[in-house]
Amino acid sequence: MASTSAATLVNGLGSAFLTGGKKSQASLLCAAKAGGAAAPKRLNIVVAAATKKSWIPAVKGGGNFIDPEWLDGSLPGDFGFDPLGLGKDPAFLKWYREAELIHGRWAMAAVVGIFVGQAWSGIPWFEAGAAPGAVAPFSFGTLLGTQLLLMGWVESKRWVDFFNPESQSVEWATPWSRSAENFANATGEQGYPGGKFFDPLSLAGTLKDGVYIPDAEKLERLKLAEIKHARLAMLAMLIFYFEAGQGKTPLGALGL
């Protein structure tokens, strides 16, 4: 079941552009048929197994609605909430976590941007694009096309790397940029690349003689904090949309 689901997700992604060449293309398809991507290198530090928690701790029993057997508490922020059974298939559970993480990060950035943008300009976030002062020296079509092109390229690379880890860690820019080294996954954890580029403050690791060394304990703590903030931000964005439908803004709702 897992292999079928993974193969279905990658169907149509066989182009050399997306897979980074014929070698990566073959690796991608083989990984899907094997039931998922080859396991990346893991941190050489043992982390204590997470205790399984419940999203309704006061309720005992309830079967898979309260305590799904396919959720074992190993994922950061796993409180056993999956009433629709979306994570029964391990391949899709991994994909849903990736989607939740990416959407959550965008939501956190959006929430900060909405508050700061309105506080700075006084223009509601849902009217900012139409404000005379916000008109860029490019047409809307040019901006849209550029965003679709750039975001499409980045997202396609992330998509392929999800099924074939580290396949996109190549020298694609200038010889002196060392993109393969700077953009490589330093932690071996899907969605948490770390390294000098993605963790410049070394919050989840340390720099020793110019080499980034991940810290498993710090990383686990930050992964839990991030997913909690990400879920809160996604909920906040949903509220912002409802407020916008009534012509209200977050700052206006707070009386500011």
Side-chain angles (χ1 to χ4, degrees):
M1 184 64 170
S3 60
T4 303
S5 302
T8 301
L9 284 174
V10 299
N11 186 28
L13 292 176
S15 69
F17 168 74
L18 291 179
T19 57
K22 293 183 179 180
K23 183 177 180 180
S24 295
Q25 177 182 357
S27 300
L28 172 64
L29 297 177
C30 289
K33 292 179 181 179
K41 296 179 180 179
R42 313 293 289 187
L43 298 180
N44 295 323
I45 304 175
V46 178
V47 181
T51 303
K52 191 172 183 179
K53 299 180 181 179
S54 172
W55 60 288
I56 309 181
V59 178
K60 303 299 181 182
N64 284 329
F65 182 78
I66 302 297
D67 185 21
E69 59 185 13
W70 53 89
L71 296 179
D72 57 7
S74 59
L75 289 174
D78 177 8
F79 294 93
F81 182 77
D82 188 13
L84 300 180
L86 300 177
K88 286 184 178 181
D89 188 320
F92 278 106
L93 176 61
K94 182 180 178 182
W95 174 252
Y96 284 133
R97 168 41 62 96
E98 175 81 359
E100 180 184 32
L101 190 60
I102 297 301
H103 282 79
R105 288 170 176 171
W106 277 113
M108 288 188 286
V111 168
V112 173
I114 287 173
F115 276 109
V116 174
Q118 185 179 351
W120 179 267
S121 65
I123 302 174
W125 66 273
F126 48 84
E127 296 179 358
V135 177
F138 307 101
S139 66
F140 175 76
T142 301
L143 291 175
L144 180 62
T146 303
Q147 181 174 353
L148 290 177
L149 179 64
L150 294 178
M151 288 297 296
W153 181 76
V154 172
E155 282 297 290
S156 67
K157 291 295 184 181
R158 185 180 65 83
W159 173 278
V160 174
D161 190 73
F162 175 80
F163 291 103
N164 190 12
E166 300 185 15
S167 65
Q168 305 306 300
S169 179
V170 296
E171 294 291 355
W172 55 267
T174 56
W176 56 84
S177 67
R178 296 188 301 176
S179 52
E181 175 185 341
N182 293 329
F183 293 89
N185 190 326
T187 69
E189 296 281 347
Q190 183 69 40
Y192 304 94
K196 292 183 290 185
F197 184 83
F198 293 102
D199 185 17
L201 300 180
S202 299
L203 299 177
T206 57
L207 276 178
K208 186 176 182 180
D209 297 329
V211 178
Y212 182 87
I213 303 175
D215 187 311
E217 185 177 352
K218 290 181 180 178
L219 180 61
E220 289 301 314
R221 184 173 65 253
L222 291 173
K223 284 161 64 175
L224 177 59
E226 181 185 38
I227 198 64
K228 287 183 175 180
H229 284 81
R231 289 168 178 170
L232 184 60
M234 288 188 284
L235 181 60
M237 279 305 306
L238 181 62
I239 296 174
F240 291 175
Y241 285 129
F242 280 115
E243 289 178 341
Q246 302 174 34
K248 300 180 180 179
T249 67
L251 291 179
L254 295 173
L256 301 175

